[in-house]
Amino acid sequence: MFRLPPRKNPSASPRSRRAFTLIELLAVIAIIGVLAAIIIGSVSKIRDAARRTTCTSNLRQLGTAFNLYASDNRGLYPAPRQPDTTNPTNKSPNPNPQGDNWQAELGRYVFRDQNVGQIKQSGASVNIAHCPSYDLLFTGIPQLAATNYKTAGYGMNFNMNVGGSSLNASTVTRTTRFPATSIFYPAKTVLVGDSSDYHIGVDTSGWTPFANTDPSSPNGKPDGYNSGAPTRHGAIANYLFADGHVATFNPTDAMAVLLYKP
């Protein structure tokens, strides 16, 4: 008679009872840790790239807003700054119709709620011109709104190469409201760039560090520079040119562009 061979007891097999050794467990944990670090690093880079892309899109919208503003204001761009009521030596009147800085002047063309008082607020429901990397420097909207700098993370360039009908370019002052057509070489002249103040006036041969970088301080500039933010997006920053195109530069190249004179 044919008989089936007896079944082996799994518990009796030494091979089946073999468990992971400590070294194997540590190796698996190490591999998981390496993979997690790679994934987290990739996600972080993707998020940084997304913020840079959003910033670039914002700057292009600001370029459009400048042109729309000029078409409604006899071809004039807004003056960079608001009136200075605290400095007795600089009380020149502001020529802007709303008496505020350039970002507030462009509010109706950029901000969804058209409320110039919300310029320092963040979030798509309020406006579409905030640099997302600038917002990350603060713990939240209250801290952002508590600063003394009325900006959404961008500053207007003072060195605009404005010369009118003359071939001699001049530097725009803080309260100059100049014609858009008076900018020589728009493709080489920065109009707006990343900054934690309303301006990006670089009038020296290098970037000037700012001592107070505490975001909770009303006078702190968390980007770490007195004017501009040359390393906001890692080691680079975004810049809008007067002809409407946006470019990204490292601090050295950005300095050369900002100091350009025809």
Side-chain angles (χ1 to χ4, degrees):
M1 179 182 291
F2 177 76
R3 295 182 179 179
L4 293 173
R7 298 179 63 183
K8 294 182 179 180
N9 185 359
S11 62
S13 174
R15 187 182 297 266
S16 65
R17 293 197 303 268
R18 182 177 180 275
F20 287 108
T21 65
L22 179 60
I23 294 177
E24 289 173 331
L25 287 173
L26 291 176
V28 171
I29 293 173
I31 292 173
I32 293 175
V34 171
L35 292 175
I38 293 174
I39 293 173
I40 293 174
S42 299
V43 171
S44 177
K45 290 180 180 179
I46 292 173
R47 288 178 176 175
D48 290 341
R51 284 190 286 266
R52 288 196 300 270
T53 301
T54 300
C55 177
T56 299
S57 176
N58 287 345
L59 287 172
R60 290 196 179 99
Q61 293 180 63
L62 285 173
T64 301
F66 268 98
N67 291 328
L68 292 173
Y69 179 92
S71 66
D72 289 341
N73 289 271
R74 305 188 310 279
L76 300 176
Y77 277 164
R81 73 158 301 154
Q82 67 272 18
D84 190 348
T85 59
T86 61
N87 188 347
T89 63
N90 184 21
K91 285 190 175 182
S92 56
N94 189 305
N96 289 332
Q98 300 203 45
D100 217 320
N101 73 6
W102 68 273
Q103 292 182 73
E105 289 295 307
L106 296 183
R108 60 179 296 192
Y109 307 101
V110 182
F111 304 139
R112 287 176 176 164
D113 63 0
Q114 300 183 17
N115 185 347
V116 296
Q118 301 296 319
I119 190 172
K120 293 190 292 185
Q121 302 289 328
S122 65
S125 62
V126 177
N127 69 64
I128 55 177
H130 260 249
C131 175
S133 295
Y134 173 71
D135 290 344
L136 285 181
L137 299 173
F138 302 87
T139 58
I141 293 177
Q143 189 182 78
L144 173 61
T147 66
N148 288 332
Y149 307 104
K150 185 177 287 189
T151 176
Y154 301 113
M156 190 172 176
N157 184 21
F158 285 164
N159 180 33
M160 292 296 296
N161 294 316
V162 174
S165 59
S166 170
L167 295 179
N168 297 319
S170 62
T171 300
V172 175
T173 62
R174 299 180 181 185
T175 55
T176 298
R177 196 167 177 234
F178 57 90
T181 56
S182 64
I183 301 176
F184 289 118
Y185 301 99
K188 297 182 179 180
T189 302
V190 171
L191 181 59
V192 173
D194 284 315
S195 180
S196 57
D197 207 337
Y198 74 92
H199 57 79
I200 185 171
V202 180
D203 52 6
T204 62
S205 59
W207 296 97
T208 304
F210 196 74
N212 184 2
T213 60
D214 182 6
S216 63
S217 170
N219 295 316
K221 295 184 179 179
D223 278 301
Y225 294 90
N226 183 56
S227 179
T231 58
R232 174 173 293 169
H233 300 285
I236 54 178
N238 292 326
Y239 301 90
L240 166 71
F241 284 74
D243 70 338
H245 84 274
V246 177
T248 301
F249 297 107
N250 61 40
T252 301
D253 292 341
M255 180 63 64
V257 171
L258 287 165
L259 294 177
Y260 169 78
K261 288 184 179 295

